[in-house]
Amino acid sequence: MPKPEILDPQGQAVAKALPRLGFSGVAEVRQGKRFELEVDDSVDDATLARIAEGLLANPVIEEWTVRRVAE
Amino acid sequence: MTVTHAADTVDTVERAAATPEIEQPYGALGLKDNEYRRVRELLGRRPTDAELAMYAVMWSEHCSYKSSKVHLRYFGETTTEQMRATMLAGIGENAGVLDIGDGWAVTFKAESHNHPSYVEPFQGAATGVGGIVRDILAMGARPLAVMDSLRFGAADAPDTKRVLPGVVAGVGGYGNCLGLPNIGGEVIFDASYAGNPLVNALCVGAMRIEDLHLAHASGAGNKIILFGARTGLDGIGGASVLASDSFSGGTGRKKLPSVQVGDPFAEKVLIECCLELFAAKVVVGISDLGAAGLACATSELASAGDGGMVIDLDRVPLRAKDMNPAEILSSESRERMCAVVTPEHVADFLAICAKWDVTATEIGEVTEGDTLVITWHGQTVVDVPPRTVAHDGPVYERPISRPESQDALQADVPDDLARPTTPAEIRATLLRMLGSANLASRRWVTQQYDRYVRGGTVLAQPADAGMIRIDEQTHRGVALSVDCNSRYVALDPYRGAQLALAEAYRNVAASGAKPVAVTDCLNFGSPEDPGVMWQFQQALHGLADACKVLGIPVVGGNVSFYNQTGGTAILPTPLVGVMGVIDDVRRRVPTGFGTEPGESLLLLGETRPEFGGSEWAHVVHGHLGGLPPKVDLAAEALLADILIAGSRDGMLSAAHDLSDGGLAQAVVEAALIGETGARIVLPAGADPFVWLFAESAGRALVAVPRSEEPRFTEMCTMRGLPWVKIGVVDVESDAVEIQDVADFSLAELRTAWEATLPELFG
């Protein structure tokens, strides 16, 4: 996700479009992206964090979380 | 009104007057002890948090020009009345404006966005483009085209692989989304830019002369309207640390971002909205919000007018929650503008903004008084004379001293470097240089930019200058080129800056346009280093003196200091942009050979064995020393006259300026761009190495249709411009042959020229 204080033009565009399409009551929209990685059990959380920080996210303007789910 | 916690502790003017002893974090905001004392003197009390934030950001080097101001005056001193004749606005306005004829005013300016582009290459470069476009827009002009001059660390350095693709994508992304063509620029590599790339963006726009708008806020009762994007926590305090925790009314945010994210579609709408506002004549003045945001716009507008101003910060539409007054005032959120509107036009103004779906809010008005008063939650948080913020900042006469190492640098002449002598060695040298990072084709970069959108582009990269049509009926147009060889500047800043001007001037003339005005973007290291200040002063004087000789004024520009990595400054880089006017763009001169079936190749100007700071010494020997090429401004002016006359009278079918890489590079580029072969015969007894690779200034390669050759050469001879016939263009051939030296197939040359950047960054 873009950091909360960073401008999110895409989210704003969606927020502006909603009332035009008849959806009311949505105060704010923020958008980000999600990566799904299929990993071996041997890949630990620290490695996943390094992957997220080093490749998948741009830590200058984005924040990230890693969520591990069982198959 | 709900009284929030923050309002309870807000630092009002009243509170500031009552609590002089409170310690303020001026140091962390970038103010020196003496500067903070000066603020207290000016106000007769300590500043409030909001005032302190305003002074800190407006008195920063970036906004106040405190180290360069005493030197920049030299531009004014060297500008003659004659040079001012076509100047409608100059230094001090958002951008310089020129009367180019047919009732058209053209405005152009370059600005740096260096540091943000290192931190976040894509957004840094993108918002740099957006900022310069709004400067042009604020003058009332429609932005027509952009150019960008980019400098990176060594091409094969790992960090360049991070920075360059991001910057290029950012420049392209923002400009392409705005629908503005990118008509040229530079991409240059040098290890000195490794931790401090340069992103200098230029924008050019045009308007009818009567539509020129200068930003000021005269007339008590006039309304101040903020319009465009909402105000968020973007780029607060720029590179400095504006830790809101250190303010008494702090919200506990740990670290504020310095990265601004641009929204080009919002800016596109803002452009159309502003142009409609200007056309409807509902604005007194418009100012863009860039560095220092509202702090800058309100204090500058107020001090440019004849009254005071009141602003109510509660009315500023915010994007983030719980922003305090200091944050609102110094936010650098992009895509915002500020207008002064007479009361009877407010409704029309708001209606136009509503039509474009642009948020517009009346946030204050011009008053009879002479102070800028800003309120928040019903309390006064700023009460200052606006001039003290915008114009009466500190001015420094920084120590200047010529570095001791300069003599050794200049004594280290390149004469003893091993030169290629045999044909085989020259052949290998030419191919190696052609594929070197600084001389290789920029196609990989420029193909990411939209060069022809809007349909007004006449010439774009890889032409010598970018050219756009301004008037659809008369075909009047302007040409622009930005140049600087920073190695020359390092060797001799005075001469190096003149060479930068001469090259841009020559490029514009080579396209057939008459150079009329200059903008600059002066990128240097720390002004606190006397050696850097010497470079700055020398370069500035060199540029101003040369402009006076050539009779073209500097109409605007930008100074960027503190470009350094650790204690090491970048090579001094006074980027020079020259604009020229062409009466009829259909008479432009292309760069590539082969537009006519039989062309003779002439080399204009004098070739000397000059290799100091040359591309050859750099590429082959990694050498930087000696003196840069000689500058002869009278010869430059004569060459330009001849090129322009040749274009006007249809005597030239191609022209290419000689600069980095010398004649060899110029011939190969013109052949590859024109996809046409050529046969080169160097003068009898000439040293092929010197003729092919020397970088003497004041030269151009021209292709002349055979029928025009006598007339053209006679003109050169009569006017005393040295010329020599060095070969012919051969449309049947697909090779460049240099007689008695080497032959190259065009395919071989193209591979060498075009493969480099894709291999590095593709």
Side-chain angles (χ1 to χ4, degrees):
Chain A
M1 290 293 287
K3 288 180 182 170
E5 64 275 11
I6 292 272
L7 176 68
D8 173 15
Q10 243 178 298
Q12 289 198 345
V14 174
K16 277 196 167 178
L18 286 172
R20 279 204 300 274
L21 299 170
F23 300 99
S24 60
V26 180
E28 200 181 332
V29 179
R30 311 257 319 151
Q31 57 78 47
K33 56 185 131 165
R34 187 172 87 168
F35 295 91
E36 293 182 354
L37 281 70
E38 209 176 299
V39 297
D40 294 340
D41 291 342
S42 60
V43 179
D44 61 9
D45 287 355
T47 306
L48 288 175
R50 281 212 307 280
I51 292 172
E53 173 101 27
L55 176 67
L56 303 180
N58 176 353
V60 179
I61 55 174
E62 292 170 330
E63 55 185 20
W64 50 269
T65 50
V66 175
R67 199 155 53 96
R68 191 187 279 268
V69 288
E71 212 172 344
Chain B
M1 188 179 68
T2 328
V3 177
T4 65
H5 168 71
D8 287 340
T9 56
V10 66
D11 194 27
T12 61
V13 168
E14 204 177 4
R15 180 166 175 266
T19 53
E21 72 291 348
I22 285 185
E23 294 246 340
Q24 295 191 280
Y26 61 88
L29 293 171
L31 282 179
K32 304 273 192 248
D33 293 344
N34 60 316
E35 294 170 349
Y36 177 67
R37 277 199 305 276
R38 176 92 185 113
V39 172
R40 292 189 71 132
E41 274 168 35
L42 284 168
L43 298 177
R45 58 174 165 78
R46 76 163 174 87
T48 65
D49 287 345
E51 289 168 342
L52 182 64
M54 283 180 88
Y55 279 105
V57 68
M58 288 301 290
W59 285 13
S60 68
E61 188 65 58
H62 182 77
C63 293
S64 74
Y65 292 84
K66 58 189 169 190
S67 302
S68 54
K69 219 174 206 170
V70 293
H71 301 288
L72 292 171
R73 287 183 194 135
Y74 192 67
F75 283 128
E77 292 163 15
T78 48
T79 305
T80 62
E81 278 314 306
Q82 200 182 354
M83 285 156 76
R84 281 183 220 276
T86 56
M87 209 161 119
L88 302 171
I91 294 174
E93 296 297 338
N94 275 317
V97 185
L98 270 295
D99 177 352
I100 65 153
D102 289 352
W104 287 100
V106 168
T107 173
F108 75 125
K109 189 183 178 189
E111 207 164 68
S112 62
H113 220 225
N114 302 340
H115 182 72
S117 302
Y118 178 68
V119 176
E120 166 47 43
F122 183 95
Q123 296 296 347
T127 49
V129 173
I132 193 66
V133 167
R134 282 193 308 281
D135 268 331
I136 296 306
L137 182 59
M139 303 304 290
R142 174 176 282 282
L144 293 176
V146 294
M147 293 177 104
D148 58 277
S149 175
L150 311 176
R151 281 170 170 74
F152 304 99
D156 52 2
D159 199 47
T160 303
K161 285 192 168 45
R162 169 187 75 94
V163 178
L164 182 140
V167 166
V168 169
V171 168
Y174 204 97
N176 294 356
C177 289
L178 273 188
L180 287 179
N182 188 309
I183 58 172
E186 298 178 295
V187 179
I188 291 174
F189 302 95
D190 185 277
S192 76
Y193 304 111
N196 196 123
L198 301 186
V199 174
N200 292 178
L202 179 147
C203 181
V204 58
M207 70 201 114
R208 301 301 296 172
I209 287 175
E210 62 272 20
D211 294 337
L212 174 62
H213 285 266
L214 301 181
H216 57 85
S218 298
N222 284 349
K223 304 298 179 192
I224 309 298
I225 299 181
L226 179 67
F227 63 115
R230 284 184 293 158
T231 299
L233 290 165
D234 307 86
I236 287 183
S240 74
V241 207
L242 200 146
S244 59
D245 272 356
S246 51
F247 283 109
S248 43
T251 46
R253 268 186 288 273
K254 284 281 175 270
K255 196 176 148 223
L256 293 166
S258 64
V259 177
Q260 310 139 2
V261 172
D263 182 353
F265 297 110
E267 177 127 325
K268 172 62 179 167
V269 173
L270 199 54
I271 291 174
E272 300 305 330
C273 177
C274 279
L275 290 172
E276 187 169 339
L277 292 170
F278 284 127
K281 300 196 187 307
V282 295
V283 288
V284 179
I286 283 189
S287 174
D288 74 306
L289 271 68
L294 265 178
C296 180
T298 52
S299 63
E300 285 195 345
L301 276 172
S303 48
D306 49 15
M309 192 181 279
V310 288
I311 299 289
D312 181 1
L313 290 185
D314 294 316
R315 309 179 100 172
V316 174
L318 301 179
R319 206 180 75 229
K321 292 184 180 68
D322 300 329
M323 287 179 73
N324 66 38
E327 290 171 336
I328 298 169
L329 283 167
S330 47
S331 161
E332 297 189 353
S333 293
R334 317 303 293 189
E335 291 96 23
R336 296 181 298 162
M337 305 287 276
C338 193
V340 182
V341 183
T342 55
E344 68 271 24
H345 285 133
V346 168
D348 291 341
F349 185 102
L350 296 177
I352 290 171
C353 288
K355 172 184 154 189
W356 290 101
D357 205 5
V358 166
T359 308
T361 317
E362 193 185 311
I363 59 165
E365 66 176 46
V366 179
T367 58
E368 297 277 2
D370 51 9
T371 58
L372 170 61
V373 174
I374 299 178
T375 60
W376 186 66
H377 292 191
Q379 297 177 309
T380 301
V381 292
V382 171
D383 185 351
V384 296
R387 278 201 65 85
T388 64
V389 180
H391 298 294
D392 301 340
V395 174
Y396 292 124
E397 298 230 19
R398 302 272 191 201
I400 292 176
S401 102
R402 185 174 187 269
E404 282 173 21
S405 56
Q406 199 71 23
D407 284 336
L409 185 65
Q410 293 187 344
D412 182 19
V413 293
D415 299 2
D416 294 335
L417 300 177
R419 298 179 173 190
T421 47
T422 65
E425 284 170 0
I426 289 183
R427 187 176 204 287
T429 302
L430 188 147
L431 288 173
R432 179 174 171 193
M433 288 183 53
L434 187 63
S436 68
N438 284 336
L439 296 181
S441 166
R442 269 54 192 134
R443 191 163 175 273
W444 183 84
V445 171
T446 54
Q447 73 183 0
Q448 300 186 41
Y449 303 153
D450 198 335
R451 286 172 287 163
Y452 298 100
V453 65
R454 289 188 54 78
T457 306
V458 180
L459 292 173
Q461 275 277 6
D464 279 5
M467 186 183 287
I468 50 170
R469 183 186 286 109
I470 300 290
D471 190 304
E472 304 269 338
Q473 266 74 50
T474 66
H475 298 282
R476 182 172 291 270
V478 295
L480 289 142
S481 179
V482 288
D483 293 286
C484 178
N485 184 328
S486 52
R487 289 195 307 269
Y488 292 169
V489 186
L491 296 178
D492 182 340
Y494 185 89
R495 198 194 283 187
Q498 298 200 325
L499 285 163
L501 172 69
E503 186 181 345
Y505 184 87
R506 202 155 60 230
N507 274 325
V508 164
S511 73
K514 179 178 165 47
V516 294
V518 175
T519 186
D520 61 53
C521 199
L522 308 173
N523 306 272
F524 287 80
S526 165
E528 294 161 50
D529 175 340
V532 168
M533 262 334 265
W534 174 79
Q535 291 176 331
F536 177 77
Q537 182 230 30
Q538 288 288 305
L540 190 151
H541 278 245
L543 178 58
D545 290 344
C547 284
K548 189 175 181 183
V549 174
L550 293 173
I552 54 174
V554 175
V555 297
N558 171 243
V559 178
S560 173
F561 278 130
Y562 298 103
N563 290 292
Q564 53 191 13
T565 310
T568 311
I570 58 161
L571 289 181
T573 313
L575 182 81
V576 180
V578 170
M579 184 178 82
V581 178
I582 183 164
D583 300 342
D584 185 341
V585 296
R586 292 170 299 182
R587 290 195 183 281
R588 71 189 175 276
V589 180
T591 305
F593 296 152
T595 46
E596 296 273 337
E599 295 171 329
S600 292
L601 288 177
L602 309 180
L603 174 59
L604 310 180
E606 202 181 325
T607 301
R608 293 176 288 265
E610 294 175 305
F611 291 97
S614 68
E615 208 57 51
W616 170 75
H618 175 71
V619 170
V620 177
H621 296 282
H623 178 270
L624 176 60
L627 284 172
K630 188 180 146 197
V631 177
D632 182 343
L633 295 169
E636 294 287 354
L638 176 60
L639 174 67
D641 270 358
I642 297 270
L643 289 169
I644 297 159
S647 149
R648 192 188 51 228
D649 298 342
M651 290 188 276
L652 297 179
S653 51
H656 192 7
D657 108 292
L658 263 61
S659 54
D660 310 353
L663 177 64
Q665 186 71 18
V667 167
V668 170
E669 284 179 1
L672 288 175
I673 292 167
E675 297 178 347
T676 306
R679 276 196 307 278
I680 303 298
V681 185
L682 297 175
D687 175 344
F689 167 72
V690 169
W691 277 74
L692 289 172
F693 299 110
E695 296 188 0
S696 301
R699 297 185 301 161
L701 172 71
V702 294
V704 182
R706 224 141 280 163
S707 55
E708 299 293 335
E709 194 179 331
R711 188 155 75 110
F712 185 78
T713 54
E714 194 182 323
M715 175 171 74
C716 293
T717 307
M718 258 175 49
R719 301 199 54 186
L721 180 73
W723 64 273
V724 57
K725 182 164 175 176
I726 55 147
V728 291
V729 173
D730 185 351
V731 288
E732 303 292 308
S733 151
D734 52 7
V736 172
E737 301 165 29
I738 306 174
Q739 202 173 64
D740 301 329
V741 180
D743 295 352
F744 307 85
S745 73
L746 288 183
E748 173 186 30
L749 293 170
R750 188 170 296 284
T751 303
W753 192 46
E754 291 189 348
T756 309
L757 291 194
E759 271 170 20
L760 283 165
F761 304 107

